[in-house]
Amino acid sequence: MSVEVHGSAVKSVIEGCGVFQKRVKALLAEKGIMELDPEAWYSLDDVIAVITGLAASVGNNLLLEIGKYIPKNSVFPPEVDSFEKAVVLLDVAYKMNHRNGNYGEYKCLQEDSKTIRMICNVPYPAMVNLGILRGFARRFQSFVVIEEVHMNGGGEFVIRL
């Protein structure tokens, strides 16, 4: 069985596309996802292919917007009530929204009391992960500085609280 992603996370992909929702729905339909059920599970490979296709045709900034919607729609542990807890528990939340096999991880390293290093070893592009971090900052009204260390693969970021 292949890795699957929860429908609530796929909903973020659709909502994050704004005026391009019709395009993303067409790309999902090509993968057999005609009607999205937010409680169902979908192939992660298909979702990544749709995201990659969107980036190629519309641009990477759309990936940033998709990421910002993930904190709004995805399943998170109930104790997530601040930006700091969201970042620390991001890997737990990731595992709540993915199943079946090895699908990567988020490593959160506390460098000092005001600095966190986030290493994203996941199949989602770095721009999506940057959007997730910015989405958490917005959700919890936290003023943080998110520095891009590198934007290869899933990316690596330094967060200054």
PDB file of all heavy atoms in Angstrom, residues 73-111:
ATOM      1  N   ASN A  73      -6.713  23.794   7.974  1.00  0.00           N
ATOM      2  CA  ASN A  73      -7.538  22.634   7.647  1.00  0.00           C
ATOM      3  C   ASN A  73      -7.075  21.296   8.205  1.00  0.00           C
ATOM      4  O   ASN A  73      -7.891  20.412   8.414  1.00  0.00           O
ATOM      5  CB  ASN A  73      -7.645  22.482   6.121  1.00  0.00           C
ATOM      6  CG  ASN A  73      -8.425  23.614   5.497  1.00  0.00           C
ATOM      7  OD1 ASN A  73      -9.415  24.063   6.043  1.00  0.00           O
ATOM      8  ND2 ASN A  73      -7.970  24.073   4.351  1.00  0.00           N
ATOM      9  N   SER A  74      -5.778  21.109   8.384  1.00  0.00           N
ATOM     10  CA  SER A  74      -5.256  19.796   8.734  1.00  0.00           C
ATOM     11  C   SER A  74      -5.540  19.426  10.184  1.00  0.00           C
ATOM     12  O   SER A  74      -5.864  20.275  11.011  1.00  0.00           O
ATOM     13  CB  SER A  74      -3.750  19.743   8.462  1.00  0.00           C
ATOM     14  OG  SER A  74      -3.510  19.928   7.084  1.00  0.00           O
ATOM     15  N   VAL A  75      -5.390  18.149  10.492  1.00  0.00           N
ATOM     16  CA  VAL A  75      -5.598  17.623  11.834  1.00  0.00           C
ATOM     17  C   VAL A  75      -4.345  17.911  12.661  1.00  0.00           C
ATOM     18  O   VAL A  75      -3.231  17.633  12.227  1.00  0.00           O
ATOM     19  CB  VAL A  75      -5.858  16.094  11.777  1.00  0.00           C
ATOM     20  CG1 VAL A  75      -6.037  15.519  13.167  1.00  0.00           C
ATOM     21  CG2 VAL A  75      -7.061  15.786  10.898  1.00  0.00           C
ATOM     22  N   PHE A  76      -4.541  18.472  13.864  1.00  0.00           N
ATOM     23  CA  PHE A  76      -3.429  18.783  14.750  1.00  0.00           C
ATOM     24  C   PHE A  76      -3.724  18.266  16.146  1.00  0.00           C
ATOM     25  O   PHE A  76      -4.894  18.152  16.542  1.00  0.00           O
ATOM     26  CB  PHE A  76      -3.183  20.304  14.804  1.00  0.00           C
ATOM     27  CG  PHE A  76      -2.571  20.823  13.541  1.00  0.00           C
ATOM     28  CD1 PHE A  76      -3.374  21.326  12.534  1.00  0.00           C
ATOM     29  CD2 PHE A  76      -1.200  20.773  13.346  1.00  0.00           C
ATOM     30  CE1 PHE A  76      -2.815  21.780  11.350  1.00  0.00           C
ATOM     31  CE2 PHE A  76      -0.645  21.223  12.176  1.00  0.00           C
ATOM     32  CZ  PHE A  76      -1.445  21.729  11.174  1.00  0.00           C
ATOM     33  N   PRO A  77      -2.664  17.993  16.928  1.00  0.00           N
ATOM     34  CA  PRO A  77      -2.892  17.585  18.320  1.00  0.00           C
ATOM     35  C   PRO A  77      -3.652  18.685  19.067  1.00  0.00           C
ATOM     36  O   PRO A  77      -3.439  19.872  18.808  1.00  0.00           O
ATOM     37  CB  PRO A  77      -1.467  17.432  18.884  1.00  0.00           C
ATOM     38  CG  PRO A  77      -0.586  17.245  17.685  1.00  0.00           C
ATOM     39  CD  PRO A  77      -1.246  18.011  16.579  1.00  0.00           C
ATOM     40  N   PRO A  78      -4.525  18.317  19.983  1.00  0.00           N
ATOM     41  CA  PRO A  78      -5.359  19.317  20.664  1.00  0.00           C
ATOM     42  C   PRO A  78      -4.551  20.330  21.481  1.00  0.00           C
ATOM     43  O   PRO A  78      -5.020  21.441  21.716  1.00  0.00           O
ATOM     44  CB  PRO A  78      -6.272  18.483  21.566  1.00  0.00           C
ATOM     45  CG  PRO A  78      -5.644  17.143  21.646  1.00  0.00           C
ATOM     46  CD  PRO A  78      -4.820  16.955  20.417  1.00  0.00           C
ATOM     47  N   GLU A  79      -3.335  19.976  21.905  1.00  0.00           N
ATOM     48  CA  GLU A  79      -2.545  20.891  22.733  1.00  0.00           C
ATOM     49  C   GLU A  79      -1.853  21.995  21.936  1.00  0.00           C
ATOM     50  O   GLU A  79      -1.190  22.860  22.503  1.00  0.00           O
ATOM     51  CB  GLU A  79      -1.524  20.128  23.586  1.00  0.00           C
ATOM     52  CG  GLU A  79      -0.492  19.337  22.809  1.00  0.00           C
ATOM     53  CD  GLU A  79      -0.897  17.895  22.520  1.00  0.00           C
ATOM     54  OE1 GLU A  79      -2.102  17.594  22.460  1.00  0.00           O
ATOM     55  OE2 GLU A  79       0.006  17.070  22.332  1.00  0.00           O
ATOM     56  N   VAL A  80      -2.019  22.007  20.613  1.00  0.00           N
ATOM     57  CA  VAL A  80      -1.427  23.055  19.785  1.00  0.00           C
ATOM     58  C   VAL A  80      -2.256  24.326  19.961  1.00  0.00           C
ATOM     59  O   VAL A  80      -3.343  24.464  19.412  1.00  0.00           O
ATOM     60  CB  VAL A  80      -1.355  22.631  18.298  1.00  0.00           C
ATOM     61  CG1 VAL A  80      -0.907  23.798  17.429  1.00  0.00           C
ATOM     62  CG2 VAL A  80      -0.402  21.460  18.125  1.00  0.00           C
ATOM     63  N   ASP A  81      -1.710  25.245  20.778  1.00  0.00           N
ATOM     64  CA  ASP A  81      -2.409  26.495  21.046  1.00  0.00           C
ATOM     65  C   ASP A  81      -1.488  27.713  20.966  1.00  0.00           C
ATOM     66  O   ASP A  81      -1.841  28.797  21.407  1.00  0.00           O
ATOM     67  CB  ASP A  81      -3.116  26.441  22.404  1.00  0.00           C
ATOM     68  CG  ASP A  81      -2.150  26.202  23.559  1.00  0.00           C
ATOM     69  OD1 ASP A  81      -0.916  26.145  23.336  1.00  0.00           O
ATOM     70  OD2 ASP A  81      -2.616  26.080  24.699  1.00  0.00           O
ATOM     71  N   SER A  82      -0.295  27.510  20.399  1.00  0.00           N
ATOM     72  CA  SER A  82       0.649  28.614  20.217  1.00  0.00           C
ATOM     73  C   SER A  82       1.565  28.283  19.042  1.00  0.00           C
ATOM     74  O   SER A  82       1.670  27.114  18.633  1.00  0.00           O
ATOM     75  CB  SER A  82       1.494  28.823  21.481  1.00  0.00           C
ATOM     76  OG  SER A  82       2.387  27.731  21.659  1.00  0.00           O
ATOM     77  N   PHE A  83       2.220  29.301  18.530  1.00  0.00           N
ATOM     78  CA  PHE A  83       3.158  29.081  17.425  1.00  0.00           C
ATOM     79  C   PHE A  83       4.246  28.103  17.843  1.00  0.00           C
ATOM     80  O   PHE A  83       4.567  27.168  17.102  1.00  0.00           O
ATOM     81  CB  PHE A  83       3.779  30.412  16.972  1.00  0.00           C
ATOM     82  CG  PHE A  83       4.798  30.225  15.882  1.00  0.00           C
ATOM     83  CD1 PHE A  83       4.406  30.132  14.554  1.00  0.00           C
ATOM     84  CD2 PHE A  83       6.144  30.119  16.173  1.00  0.00           C
ATOM     85  CE1 PHE A  83       5.336  29.932  13.538  1.00  0.00           C
ATOM     86  CE2 PHE A  83       7.087  29.924  15.170  1.00  0.00           C
ATOM     87  CZ  PHE A  83       6.675  29.837  13.844  1.00  0.00           C
ATOM     88  N   GLU A  84       4.812  28.305  19.029  1.00  0.00           N
ATOM     89  CA  GLU A  84       5.910  27.450  19.482  1.00  0.00           C
ATOM     90  C   GLU A  84       5.481  25.986  19.575  1.00  0.00           C
ATOM     91  O   GLU A  84       6.199  25.099  19.124  1.00  0.00           O
ATOM     92  CB  GLU A  84       6.452  27.932  20.840  1.00  0.00           C
ATOM     93  CG  GLU A  84       7.151  29.269  20.767  1.00  0.00           C
ATOM     94  CD  GLU A  84       6.210  30.480  20.866  1.00  0.00           C
ATOM     95  OE1 GLU A  84       4.953  30.316  20.825  1.00  0.00           O
ATOM     96  OE2 GLU A  84       6.722  31.605  20.971  1.00  0.00           O
ATOM     97  N   LYS A  85       4.299  25.729  20.131  1.00  0.00           N
ATOM     98  CA  LYS A  85       3.813  24.342  20.227  1.00  0.00           C
ATOM     99  C   LYS A  85       3.531  23.774  18.844  1.00  0.00           C
ATOM    100  O   LYS A  85       3.783  22.596  18.590  1.00  0.00           O
ATOM    101  CB  LYS A  85       2.558  24.258  21.099  1.00  0.00           C
ATOM    102  CG  LYS A  85       2.833  24.387  22.568  1.00  0.00           C
ATOM    103  CD  LYS A  85       1.548  24.241  23.361  1.00  0.00           C
ATOM    104  CE  LYS A  85       1.760  24.513  24.833  1.00  0.00           C
ATOM    105  NZ  LYS A  85       0.484  24.488  25.570  1.00  0.00           N
ATOM    106  N   ALA A  86       3.019  24.606  17.945  1.00  0.00           N
ATOM    107  CA  ALA A  86       2.728  24.141  16.583  1.00  0.00           C
ATOM    108  C   ALA A  86       4.000  23.677  15.890  1.00  0.00           C
ATOM    109  O   ALA A  86       4.024  22.623  15.243  1.00  0.00           O
ATOM    110  CB  ALA A  86       2.060  25.260  15.777  1.00  0.00           C
ATOM    111  N   VAL A  87       5.069  24.434  16.043  1.00  0.00           N
ATOM    112  CA  VAL A  87       6.333  24.079  15.397  1.00  0.00           C
ATOM    113  C   VAL A  87       6.921  22.820  16.024  1.00  0.00           C
ATOM    114  O   VAL A  87       7.353  21.905  15.323  1.00  0.00           O
ATOM    115  CB  VAL A  87       7.319  25.270  15.455  1.00  0.00           C
ATOM    116  CG1 VAL A  87       8.695  24.869  14.979  1.00  0.00           C
ATOM    117  CG2 VAL A  87       6.792  26.425  14.624  1.00  0.00           C
ATOM    118  N   VAL A  88       6.907  22.762  17.356  1.00  0.00           N
ATOM    119  CA  VAL A  88       7.457  21.597  18.061  1.00  0.00           C
ATOM    120  C   VAL A  88       6.671  20.330  17.726  1.00  0.00           C
ATOM    121  O   VAL A  88       7.246  19.252  17.584  1.00  0.00           O
ATOM    122  CB  VAL A  88       7.491  21.855  19.586  1.00  0.00           C
ATOM    123  CG1 VAL A  88       7.779  20.589  20.359  1.00  0.00           C
ATOM    124  CG2 VAL A  88       8.518  22.937  19.915  1.00  0.00           C
ATOM    125  N   LEU A  89       5.355  20.463  17.562  1.00  0.00           N
ATOM    126  CA  LEU A  89       4.496  19.301  17.301  1.00  0.00           C
ATOM    127  C   LEU A  89       4.179  19.105  15.813  1.00  0.00           C
ATOM    128  O   LEU A  89       3.324  18.288  15.474  1.00  0.00           O
ATOM    129  CB  LEU A  89       3.198  19.416  18.101  1.00  0.00           C
ATOM    130  CG  LEU A  89       3.371  19.328  19.617  1.00  0.00           C
ATOM    131  CD1 LEU A  89       2.076  19.668  20.326  1.00  0.00           C
ATOM    132  CD2 LEU A  89       3.875  17.945  20.023  1.00  0.00           C
ATOM    133  N   LEU A  90       4.880  19.831  14.941  1.00  0.00           N
ATOM    134  CA  LEU A  90       4.595  19.721  13.504  1.00  0.00           C
ATOM    135  C   LEU A  90       4.781  18.299  12.993  1.00  0.00           C
ATOM    136  O   LEU A  90       3.975  17.802  12.212  1.00  0.00           O
ATOM    137  CB  LEU A  90       5.462  20.699  12.699  1.00  0.00           C
ATOM    138  CG  LEU A  90       5.179  20.759  11.207  1.00  0.00           C
ATOM    139  CD1 LEU A  90       3.709  21.077  10.921  1.00  0.00           C
ATOM    140  CD2 LEU A  90       6.090  21.797  10.543  1.00  0.00           C
ATOM    141  N   ASP A  91       5.807  17.607  13.453  1.00  0.00           N
ATOM    142  CA  ASP A  91       6.016  16.231  12.994  1.00  0.00           C
ATOM    143  C   ASP A  91       4.892  15.312  13.477  1.00  0.00           C
ATOM    144  O   ASP A  91       4.450  14.436  12.740  1.00  0.00           O
ATOM    145  CB  ASP A  91       7.376  15.699  13.454  1.00  0.00           C
ATOM    146  CG  ASP A  91       7.698  14.379  12.775  1.00  0.00           C
ATOM    147  OD1 ASP A  91       7.783  14.362  11.526  1.00  0.00           O
ATOM    148  OD2 ASP A  91       7.845  13.362  13.482  1.00  0.00           O
ATOM    149  N   VAL A  92       4.406  15.520  14.702  1.00  0.00           N
ATOM    150  CA  VAL A  92       3.282  14.725  15.213  1.00  0.00           C
ATOM    151  C   VAL A  92       2.054  14.961  14.331  1.00  0.00           C
ATOM    152  O   VAL A  92       1.373  14.018  13.922  1.00  0.00           O
ATOM    153  CB  VAL A  92       2.981  15.085  16.692  1.00  0.00           C
ATOM    154  CG1 VAL A  92       1.705  14.404  17.167  1.00  0.00           C
ATOM    155  CG2 VAL A  92       4.154  14.705  17.579  1.00  0.00           C
ATOM    156  N   ALA A  93       1.789  16.237  14.035  1.00  0.00           N
ATOM    157  CA  ALA A  93       0.643  16.571  13.178  1.00  0.00           C
ATOM    158  C   ALA A  93       0.817  15.965  11.786  1.00  0.00           C
ATOM    159  O   ALA A  93      -0.140  15.453  11.197  1.00  0.00           O
ATOM    160  CB  ALA A  93       0.487  18.087  13.083  1.00  0.00           C
ATOM    161  N   TYR A  94       2.037  16.031  11.266  1.00  0.00           N
ATOM    162  CA  TYR A  94       2.321  15.454   9.946  1.00  0.00           C
ATOM    163  C   TYR A  94       1.969  13.965   9.932  1.00  0.00           C
ATOM    164  O   TYR A  94       1.332  13.474   9.008  1.00  0.00           O
ATOM    165  CB  TYR A  94       3.800  15.675   9.618  1.00  0.00           C
ATOM    166  CG  TYR A  94       4.236  15.168   8.269  1.00  0.00           C
ATOM    167  CD1 TYR A  94       3.694  15.686   7.096  1.00  0.00           C
ATOM    168  CD2 TYR A  94       5.206  14.183   8.164  1.00  0.00           C
ATOM    169  CE1 TYR A  94       4.108  15.229   5.853  1.00  0.00           C
ATOM    170  CE2 TYR A  94       5.631  13.725   6.927  1.00  0.00           C
ATOM    171  CZ  TYR A  94       5.076  14.253   5.779  1.00  0.00           C
ATOM    172  OH  TYR A  94       5.484  13.799   4.553  1.00  0.00           O
ATOM    173  N   LYS A  95       2.342  13.273  10.982  1.00  0.00           N
ATOM    174  CA  LYS A  95       2.060  11.836  11.062  1.00  0.00           C
ATOM    175  C   LYS A  95       0.567  11.561  11.260  1.00  0.00           C
ATOM    176  O   LYS A  95       0.079  10.510  10.880  1.00  0.00           O
ATOM    177  CB  LYS A  95       2.911  11.192  12.148  1.00  0.00           C
ATOM    178  CG  LYS A  95       4.375  11.102  11.711  1.00  0.00           C
ATOM    179  CD  LYS A  95       5.276  10.563  12.786  1.00  0.00           C
ATOM    180  CE  LYS A  95       6.667  10.276  12.289  1.00  0.00           C
ATOM    181  NZ  LYS A  95       7.439  11.414  11.871  1.00  0.00           N
ATOM    182  N   MET A  96      -0.174  12.515  11.823  1.00  0.00           N
ATOM    183  CA  MET A  96      -1.625  12.359  11.963  1.00  0.00           C
ATOM    184  C   MET A  96      -2.322  12.494  10.607  1.00  0.00           C
ATOM    185  O   MET A  96      -3.413  11.976  10.418  1.00  0.00           O
ATOM    186  CB  MET A  96      -2.183  13.424  12.920  1.00  0.00           C
ATOM    187  CG  MET A  96      -1.760  13.232  14.366  1.00  0.00           C
ATOM    188  SD  MET A  96      -2.238  14.623  15.424  1.00  0.00           S
ATOM    189  CE  MET A  96      -4.010  14.350  15.544  1.00  0.00           C
ATOM    190  N   ASN A  97      -1.682  13.187   9.670  1.00  0.00           N
ATOM    191  CA  ASN A  97      -2.273  13.466   8.359  1.00  0.00           C
ATOM    192  C   ASN A  97      -1.713  12.602   7.237  1.00  0.00           C
ATOM    193  O   ASN A  97      -2.078  12.784   6.078  1.00  0.00           O
ATOM    194  CB  ASN A  97      -2.079  14.953   8.021  1.00  0.00           C
ATOM    195  CG  ASN A  97      -2.950  15.837   8.864  1.00  0.00           C
ATOM    196  OD1 ASN A  97      -4.118  16.019   8.577  1.00  0.00           O
ATOM    197  ND2 ASN A  97      -2.385  16.385   9.940  1.00  0.00           N
ATOM    198  N   HIS A  98      -0.811  11.679   7.563  1.00  0.00           N
ATOM    199  CA  HIS A  98      -0.206  10.779   6.581  1.00  0.00           C
ATOM    200  C   HIS A  98      -0.143   9.378   7.178  1.00  0.00           C
ATOM    201  O   HIS A  98      -0.032   9.230   8.402  1.00  0.00           O
ATOM    202  CB  HIS A  98       1.200  11.249   6.217  1.00  0.00           C
ATOM    203  CG  HIS A  98       1.202  12.572   5.516  1.00  0.00           C
ATOM    204  ND1 HIS A  98       1.065  13.755   6.191  1.00  0.00           N
ATOM    205  CD2 HIS A  98       1.303  12.893   4.199  1.00  0.00           C
ATOM    206  CE1 HIS A  98       1.080  14.757   5.328  1.00  0.00           C
ATOM    207  NE2 HIS A  98       1.208  14.268   4.108  1.00  0.00           N
ATOM    208  N   ARG A  99      -0.213   8.375   6.317  1.00  0.00           N
ATOM    209  CA  ARG A  99      -0.145   6.999   6.813  1.00  0.00           C
ATOM    210  C   ARG A  99       0.438   6.076   5.743  1.00  0.00           C
ATOM    211  O   ARG A  99       0.513   6.441   4.578  1.00  0.00           O
ATOM    212  CB  ARG A  99      -1.525   6.513   7.253  1.00  0.00           C
ATOM    213  CG  ARG A  99      -2.513   6.333   6.114  1.00  0.00           C
ATOM    214  CD  ARG A  99      -3.859   5.870   6.642  1.00  0.00           C
ATOM    215  NE  ARG A  99      -4.749   5.548   5.525  1.00  0.00           N
ATOM    216  CZ  ARG A  99      -6.020   5.235   5.654  1.00  0.00           C
ATOM    217  NH1 ARG A  99      -6.567   5.184   6.858  1.00  0.00           N
ATOM    218  NH2 ARG A  99      -6.760   4.959   4.594  1.00  0.00           N
ATOM    219  N   ASN A 100       0.827   4.886   6.175  1.00  0.00           N
ATOM    220  CA  ASN A 100       1.324   3.807   5.303  1.00  0.00           C
ATOM    221  C   ASN A 100       2.712   4.092   4.734  1.00  0.00           C
ATOM    222  O   ASN A 100       2.851   4.646   3.657  1.00  0.00           O
ATOM    223  CB  ASN A 100       0.373   3.510   4.134  1.00  0.00           C
ATOM    224  CG  ASN A 100      -0.988   3.089   4.586  1.00  0.00           C
ATOM    225  OD1 ASN A 100      -1.144   2.533   5.664  1.00  0.00           O
ATOM    226  ND2 ASN A 100      -1.997   3.359   3.771  1.00  0.00           N
ATOM    227  N   GLY A 101       3.715   3.709   5.458  1.00  0.00           N
ATOM    228  CA  GLY A 101       5.061   3.777   4.899  1.00  0.00           C
ATOM    229  C   GLY A 101       5.875   4.956   5.394  1.00  0.00           C
ATOM    230  O   GLY A 101       5.523   5.650   6.338  1.00  0.00           O
ATOM    231  N   ASN A 102       7.000   5.162   4.717  1.00  0.00           N
ATOM    232  CA  ASN A 102       7.930   6.226   5.082  1.00  0.00           C
ATOM    233  C   ASN A 102       7.612   7.466   4.266  1.00  0.00           C
ATOM    234  O   ASN A 102       7.765   7.466   3.052  1.00  0.00           O
ATOM    235  CB  ASN A 102       9.374   5.769   4.837  1.00  0.00           C
ATOM    236  CG  ASN A 102      10.381   6.811   5.263  1.00  0.00           C
ATOM    237  OD1 ASN A 102      10.025   7.829   5.869  1.00  0.00           O
ATOM    238  ND2 ASN A 102      11.630   6.568   4.963  1.00  0.00           N
ATOM    239  N   TYR A 103       7.185   8.510   4.918  1.00  0.00           N
ATOM    240  CA  TYR A 103       6.808   9.736   4.223  1.00  0.00           C
ATOM    241  C   TYR A 103       7.570  10.936   4.754  1.00  0.00           C
ATOM    242  O   TYR A 103       7.177  12.066   4.543  1.00  0.00           O
ATOM    243  CB  TYR A 103       5.294   9.963   4.297  1.00  0.00           C
ATOM    244  CG  TYR A 103       4.679   9.568   5.616  1.00  0.00           C
ATOM    245  CD1 TYR A 103       4.692  10.434   6.696  1.00  0.00           C
ATOM    246  CD2 TYR A 103       4.106   8.305   5.778  1.00  0.00           C
ATOM    247  CE1 TYR A 103       4.145  10.060   7.911  1.00  0.00           C
ATOM    248  CE2 TYR A 103       3.549   7.927   6.984  1.00  0.00           C
ATOM    249  CZ  TYR A 103       3.579   8.802   8.053  1.00  0.00           C
ATOM    250  OH  TYR A 103       3.040   8.435   9.247  1.00  0.00           O
ATOM    251  N   GLY A 104       8.670  10.687   5.449  1.00  0.00           N
ATOM    252  CA  GLY A 104       9.530  11.764   5.904  1.00  0.00           C
ATOM    253  C   GLY A 104       9.185  12.251   7.291  1.00  0.00           C
ATOM    254  O   GLY A 104       8.372  11.652   8.006  1.00  0.00           O
ATOM    255  N   GLU A 105       9.839  13.359   7.662  1.00  0.00           N
ATOM    256  CA  GLU A 105       9.640  13.911   8.995  1.00  0.00           C
ATOM    257  C   GLU A 105      10.044  15.381   9.036  1.00  0.00           C
ATOM    258  O   GLU A 105      10.782  15.870   8.178  1.00  0.00           O
ATOM    259  CB  GLU A 105      10.465  13.145  10.029  1.00  0.00           C
ATOM    260  CG  GLU A 105      11.962  13.317   9.833  1.00  0.00           C
ATOM    261  CD  GLU A 105      12.798  12.563  10.857  1.00  0.00           C
ATOM    262  OE1 GLU A 105      12.280  12.183  11.920  1.00  0.00           O
ATOM    263  OE2 GLU A 105      13.986  12.364  10.586  1.00  0.00           O
ATOM    264  N   TYR A 106       9.541  16.057  10.049  1.00  0.00           N
ATOM    265  CA  TYR A 106       9.945  17.420  10.381  1.00  0.00           C
ATOM    266  C   TYR A 106      10.805  17.329  11.632  1.00  0.00           C
ATOM    267  O   TYR A 106      10.365  16.769  12.639  1.00  0.00           O
ATOM    268  CB  TYR A 106       8.732  18.310  10.664  1.00  0.00           C
ATOM    269  CG  TYR A 106       7.937  18.675   9.441  1.00  0.00           C
ATOM    270  CD1 TYR A 106       6.853  17.906   9.040  1.00  0.00           C
ATOM    271  CD2 TYR A 106       8.266  19.798   8.685  1.00  0.00           C
ATOM    272  CE1 TYR A 106       6.115  18.248   7.915  1.00  0.00           C
ATOM    273  CE2 TYR A 106       7.525  20.151   7.561  1.00  0.00           C
ATOM    274  CZ  TYR A 106       6.455  19.364   7.189  1.00  0.00           C
ATOM    275  OH  TYR A 106       5.732  19.710   6.076  1.00  0.00           O
ATOM    276  N   LYS A 107      12.018  17.873  11.568  1.00  0.00           N
ATOM    277  CA  LYS A 107      12.900  17.902  12.736  1.00  0.00           C
ATOM    278  C   LYS A 107      12.939  19.326  13.274  1.00  0.00           C
ATOM    279  O   LYS A 107      13.298  20.255  12.556  1.00  0.00           O
ATOM    280  CB  LYS A 107      14.314  17.462  12.368  1.00  0.00           C
ATOM    281  CG  LYS A 107      14.440  16.003  12.046  1.00  0.00           C
ATOM    282  CD  LYS A 107      15.887  15.656  11.768  1.00  0.00           C
ATOM    283  CE  LYS A 107      16.004  14.206  11.351  1.00  0.00           C
ATOM    284  NZ  LYS A 107      17.394  13.869  11.012  1.00  0.00           N
ATOM    285  N   CYS A 108      12.578  19.450  14.522  1.00  0.00           N
ATOM    286  CA  CYS A 108      12.551  20.750  15.192  1.00  0.00           C
ATOM    287  C   CYS A 108      13.672  20.753  16.225  1.00  0.00           C
ATOM    288  O   CYS A 108      13.642  19.968  17.171  1.00  0.00           O
ATOM    289  CB  CYS A 108      11.193  20.945  15.854  1.00  0.00           C
ATOM    290  SG  CYS A 108      11.024  22.505  16.704  1.00  0.00           S
ATOM    291  N   LEU A 109      14.668  21.605  16.027  1.00  0.00           N
ATOM    292  CA  LEU A 109      15.817  21.672  16.930  1.00  0.00           C
ATOM    293  C   LEU A 109      15.840  23.025  17.631  1.00  0.00           C
ATOM    294  O   LEU A 109      15.929  24.062  16.969  1.00  0.00           O
ATOM    295  CB  LEU A 109      17.112  21.464  16.144  1.00  0.00           C
ATOM    296  CG  LEU A 109      17.172  20.223  15.244  1.00  0.00           C
ATOM    297  CD1 LEU A 109      18.396  20.255  14.357  1.00  0.00           C
ATOM    298  CD2 LEU A 109      17.152  18.972  16.095  1.00  0.00           C
ATOM    299  N   GLN A 110      15.771  23.007  18.955  1.00  0.00           N
ATOM    300  CA  GLN A 110      15.820  24.245  19.741  1.00  0.00           C
ATOM    301  C   GLN A 110      17.291  24.630  19.874  1.00  0.00           C
ATOM    302  O   GLN A 110      18.060  23.950  20.543  1.00  0.00           O
ATOM    303  CB  GLN A 110      15.186  24.005  21.109  1.00  0.00           C
ATOM    304  CG  GLN A 110      15.023  25.246  21.936  1.00  0.00           C
ATOM    305  CD  GLN A 110      13.749  26.000  21.610  1.00  0.00           C
ATOM    306  OE1 GLN A 110      12.716  25.405  21.375  1.00  0.00           O
ATOM    307  NE2 GLN A 110      13.839  27.310  21.599  1.00  0.00           N
ATOM    308  N   GLU A 111      17.693  25.721  19.209  1.00  0.00           N
ATOM    309  CA  GLU A 111      19.090  26.140  19.259  1.00  0.00           C
ATOM    310  C   GLU A 111      19.383  26.969  20.501  1.00  0.00           C
ATOM    311  O   GLU A 111      20.453  26.880  21.070  1.00  0.00           O
ATOM    312  CB  GLU A 111      19.460  26.888  17.983  1.00  0.00           C
ATOM    313  CG  GLU A 111      19.425  25.959  16.780  1.00  0.00           C
ATOM    314  CD  GLU A 111      19.992  26.575  15.520  1.00  0.00           C
ATOM    315  OE1 GLU A 111      20.099  27.823  15.442  1.00  0.00           O
ATOM    316  OE2 GLU A 111      20.336  25.798  14.624  1.00  0.00           O
TER     317      GLU A 111
END
